[in-house]
Amino acid sequence: GDSVTQMEGPVTLSEEAFLTINCTYTATGYPSLFWYVQYPGEGLQLLLKATKADDKGSNKGFEATYRKETTSFHLEKGSVQVSDSAVYFCALSRGTYKYIFGTGTRLKVLA
Amino acid sequence: NAGVMQNPRHLVRRRGQEARLRCSPMKGHSHVYWYRQLPEEGLKFMVYLQKENIIDESGMPKERFSAEFPKEGPSILRIQQVVRGDSAAYFCASSPLGGDQETQYFGPGTRLLVL
């Protein structure tokens, strides 16, 4: 069945460091791919999405490219801030309401 | 515009008790989804409801779990006779009628601990 695998956390970085959170998926066909972020005490918020191969989703300085050949959707940001500290979830969907989520990666950014 | 609200945020129950988790969708949203996140796992789809209808409950355990979304009031996820394995975070999400169901708005979750 479909699945999503994320790198384990926590990831601890200094402010202004480069961020990569790896996400790979297993699915047939062309699912839509998502990154959600959960700030402390809040619900999951959609960060970015990509719906077809080679699409790049971007938002708030974060980017992720849908790579069909490597079945990956890695999240990157060039310079993280303390306010980026949160839990990041990678997910896929087949165009319906059913998401398949990864386990989440906790990011901690130190000043 | 208030987001999706869930309460309680934390719930402690002893084995055999009942747990009731409430979810108020965003204003204007008529689709509600419940997800469960067990320790060390990703969120897993449980059930999809519209007002007064269960559309898809394929992710719900067959026993002890039920969900409703009445005409008035919040959606309720009910767990009867809880066991330790029910300890998890339960997330609710909503989407608008006629909107893109892939884009769901999530609540902060209810953390259930069964002693």
Side-chain angles (χ1 to χ4, degrees):
Chain A
D2 297 348
S3 66
V4 173
T5 303
Q6 287 182 239
M7 63 187 289
E8 286 192 25
V11 173
T12 303
L13 296 173
S14 298
E15 208 165 22
E16 299 184 4
F18 185 86
L19 168 71
T20 300
I21 300 178
N22 290 338
C23 171
T24 57
Y25 67 91
T26 301
T28 55
Y30 294 87
S32 296
L33 300 174
F34 305 81
W35 277 101
Y36 275 83
V37 58
Q38 184 180 29
Y39 298 104
E42 298 183 14
L44 280 72
Q45 302 173 24
L46 179 63
L47 182 59
L48 52 85
K49 65 187 274 189
T51 57
K52 59 183 188 294
D54 300 325
D55 263 4
K56 178 185 282 188
S58 61
N59 186 25
K60 299 182 181 180
F62 290 89
E63 292 183 341
T65 302
Y66 189 143
R67 301 281 188 205
K68 180 67 176 173
E69 63 277 12
T70 54
T71 62
S72 65
F73 193 55
H74 304 322
L75 183 68
E76 296 181 336
K77 187 176 185 183
S79 177
V80 293
Q81 305 300 314
V82 172
S83 58
D84 294 326
S85 298
V87 181
Y88 293 82
F89 291 91
C90 184
L92 70 79
S93 166
R94 291 192 167 280
T96 71
Y97 48 84
K98 283 187 187 176
Y99 282 107
I100 306 291
F101 281 91
T103 54
T105 302
R106 184 175 300 277
L107 170 66
K108 186 173 182 180
V109 181
L110 304 175
Chain B
N1 188 12
V4 177
M5 294 192 289
Q6 291 187 246
N7 65 81
R9 297 290 303 275
H10 299 273
L11 182 61
V12 180
R13 285 287 179 266
R14 297 190 181 280
R15 282 177 295 169
Q17 291 183 319
E18 179 179 284
R20 281 186 180 239
L21 287 62
R22 286 175 289 278
C23 168
S24 296
M26 284 182 72
K27 188 175 181 180
H29 286 195
S30 56
H31 302 266
V32 166
Y33 316 86
W34 284 93
Y35 293 80
R36 177 169 66 173
Q37 184 181 27
L38 294 169
E40 310 302 322
E41 296 186 15
L43 283 74
K44 298 275 190 343
F45 168 81
M46 298 180 75
V47 61
Y48 161 35
L49 308 106
Q50 294 178 17
K51 287 281 188 183
E52 300 184 282
N53 281 306
I54 297 175
I55 307 301
D56 180 354
E57 55 182 349
S58 58
M60 289 272 274
K62 298 293 182 223
E63 297 178 351
R64 303 185 297 106
F65 284 72
S66 62
E68 63 176 7
F69 188 17
K71 188 175 180 181
E72 302 290 338
S75 176
I76 306 285
L77 180 67
R78 182 182 179 208
I79 311 172
Q80 295 179 289
Q81 300 176 325
V82 295
V83 300
R84 289 220 173 104
D86 297 332
S87 295
Y90 292 83
F91 291 92
C92 167
S94 70
S95 65
L97 180 66
D100 173 14
Q101 289 181 308
E102 268 195 341
T103 302
Q104 298 174 15
Y105 298 81
F106 284 79
T110 294
R111 271 76 179 168
L112 172 65
L113 176 63
V114 179
L115 301 177

